[in-house]
Amino acid sequence: MDRFERQVILPGFGSEGQAKLKHASVLVIGAGGLGCPALLYLAAAGVGRICVVDGDVVALSNLNRQVLFGQQDLGKNKAQTAVRYFQEKYNDIQWKAIPEFITVENAQELIFHYDVVVDGSDNFPTRYLVNDACVLLKKPLVFGAIHQHEGQVSVFNQGPGSCNYRDLYPNPPAANEIPNCAETGVLGVVPGIIGSLMALEVIKVLTGLGKPLTNRVLYFNSLNSQSYEVEIQPSAATAVPTSWSDFEQRNYELASEGIAQLSWNEAMKLMGHEVAFVDVREPGEEPILECTGLVKVPFSILTSQLDQFEEAEEILCFCQTGGRSQKAAQLLQETYPDKKIFSIRGGIQALKS
Amino acid sequence: MPDRIHLKAFGMLAEKMGADSLEIENPGSSEVLKQQLLAQFPELKDMTFRMALDRKLLQADTDISQGQEIALLPPFSGG
């Protein structure tokens, strides 16, 4: 008997299904609210080779849903911490941790080596980037995302005639229509359910069990416990890049009208006397940045704090990934049309990597 | 018999509309419905969403018949 006995005796799965999992490899992008539960079940099921990609570190506010981590892990890289946890638990799996964010530069090399990709990221730029790279590499992509009490799951790019994310939403939404990641809130069990469904879809894709959610999107509402399935079809006019050089030239940042975005290098050069340097993240978001001239004005209270920027000639905003800071910059620009206001591209995560 | 259809809204669209399930008078086509919704809920103008008729994603303006169900589907990004 081995640790897979209870699934090997399942009709339609059997030792063939188990052998397929053992010889399969999965790349999990993001060890967050979706990635943690997905990893738990992929590892328990015996997928042979698993790689976790995440450049983020564990913060206290993650612990209600990122169930692989505990209080002893605060400040540690998520990919490395997750892999360390699993290495002790299951030594029959080949583990790899990539403590970086997926980017236009590393996407091809990272995805190339795996059979299936799991998108457990938490932002549109990454979702579009991962989708496009998977289309170019012809890799099945198990997609899951949540909004408060709701989630959606699908399987993209599983063979010819299979949809990808751009068949559903051809282009990313603008920065100003996206809810603020630190403010929308989530009960941990909701990404727990969606992440578990994602693990299930991976197992179905790898073993041929049942019918994966190819060309279907499943919506789940945790408040009324209803699910809703929508049939989708490949679109003739696709916005997916046609080549790697096209991919590399794409700007995956979200567009925000009229707000200039700066890199950290460009921002550093601007810093000085008349420049307000503003962290718009909420208290408790990691990593904490401390430096002279930095003011902290959480986005949630920015509207009541606008007058404190009267003296500044220029204002530089940043947040965790660059979404909220664009909204903050837009708000400031509406209040102070004559000031130069910038948002730092990629937020604090771009500074770390 | 009154010509009515079912409307289901997901995610932020349901928040903006104040309901996730409604019964409304049949506007006749998906494009007319969309224009009616944008007029009634101006915040929807800035939001990305797709529509499905009887659980099939719509690719173009489509006639709606009595009793059919339209779903309004915004993208989710959280994780």
Side-chain angles (χ1 to χ4, degrees), chain B residues 3 9 11-12 15 20 22 33 39 41-44 51 54-55 58 68 72-73 76 78:
Chain B
D3 187 4
M12 279 218 291
E15 282 165 42
D20 58 8
L22 289 170
L33 172 63
F41 306 100
E43 282 175 285
L44 267 54
M51 298 168 95
D54 285 350
R55 308 193 178 212
L58 290 178
Q68 284 194 305
L72 308 174
L73 310 164
F76 298 168

Side-chain angles (χ1 to χ4, degrees), chain A residues 6 22 29 50 89 91 118 122 132 148 168 172 178 192 224 227 258 260 306 311 320 331:
Chain A
R6 291 298 163 88
K22 186 177 171 46
I29 295 167
I50 302 176
K89 220 173 159 185
N91 63 9
V118 173
D122 61 358
D132 291 355
Q148 286 189 345
L168 190 54
I178 297 162
N224 57 25
S227 56
L306 291 167
E311 301 297 314
Q320 201 70 13
L331 191 62

Side-chain angles (χ1 to χ4, degrees), chain A residues 90-262:
Chain A
Y90 308 115
N91 63 9
D92 51 358
I93 297 172
Q94 287 180 52
W95 290 97
K96 190 170 184 180
I98 308 277
E100 293 168 26
F101 293 104
I102 191 160
T103 63
V104 167
E105 289 76 34
N106 65 15
Q108 183 178 10
E109 171 64 22
L110 281 177
I111 294 172
F112 179 78
H113 302 284
Y114 297 88
D115 299 324
V116 174
V117 177
V118 173
D119 180 2
S121 68
D122 61 358
N123 61 83
F124 284 116
T126 305
R127 293 187 180 283
Y128 278 86
L129 187 150
V130 169
N131 178 74
D132 291 355
C134 285
V135 173
L136 287 170
L137 287 165
K138 300 187 169 64
K139 296 285 183 183
L141 169 62
V142 175
F143 172 94
I146 53 165
H147 174 77
Q148 286 189 345
H149 300 290
E150 295 172 61
Q152 55 180 190
V153 189
S154 189
V155 174
F156 295 135
N157 217 28
Q158 200 204 1
S162 161
C163 288
N164 69 75
Y165 190 49
R166 287 190 192 264
D167 293 316
L168 190 54
Y169 300 107
N171 293 299
N176 61 3
E177 64 174 286
I178 297 162
N180 166 342
C181 33
E183 280 185 355
T184 48
V186 62
L187 273 177
V189 65
V190 177
I193 291 166
I194 301 300
S196 300
L197 284 171
M198 292 165 78
L200 178 61
E201 292 305 309
V202 172
I203 292 167
K204 284 154 72 179
V205 168
L206 290 174
T207 62
L209 182 72
K211 279 190 190 157
L213 284 166
T214 310
N215 292 357
R216 295 182 289 155
V217 185
L218 181 74
Y219 292 79
F220 175 74
N221 182 321
S222 66
L223 290 184
N224 57 25
S225 304
Q226 284 183 348
S227 56
Y228 194 85
E229 193 185 304
V230 174
E231 203 182 300
I232 60 176
Q233 46 190 290
S235 132
T238 180
V240 174
T242 51
S243 66
W244 285 107
S245 61
D246 185 6
F247 175 78
E248 280 156 19
Q249 280 159 27
R250 290 284 173 106
N251 179 8
Y252 283 91
E253 300 296 330
L254 299 176
S256 193
E257 235 172 290
I259 296 300
Q261 292 197 66
L262 300 181

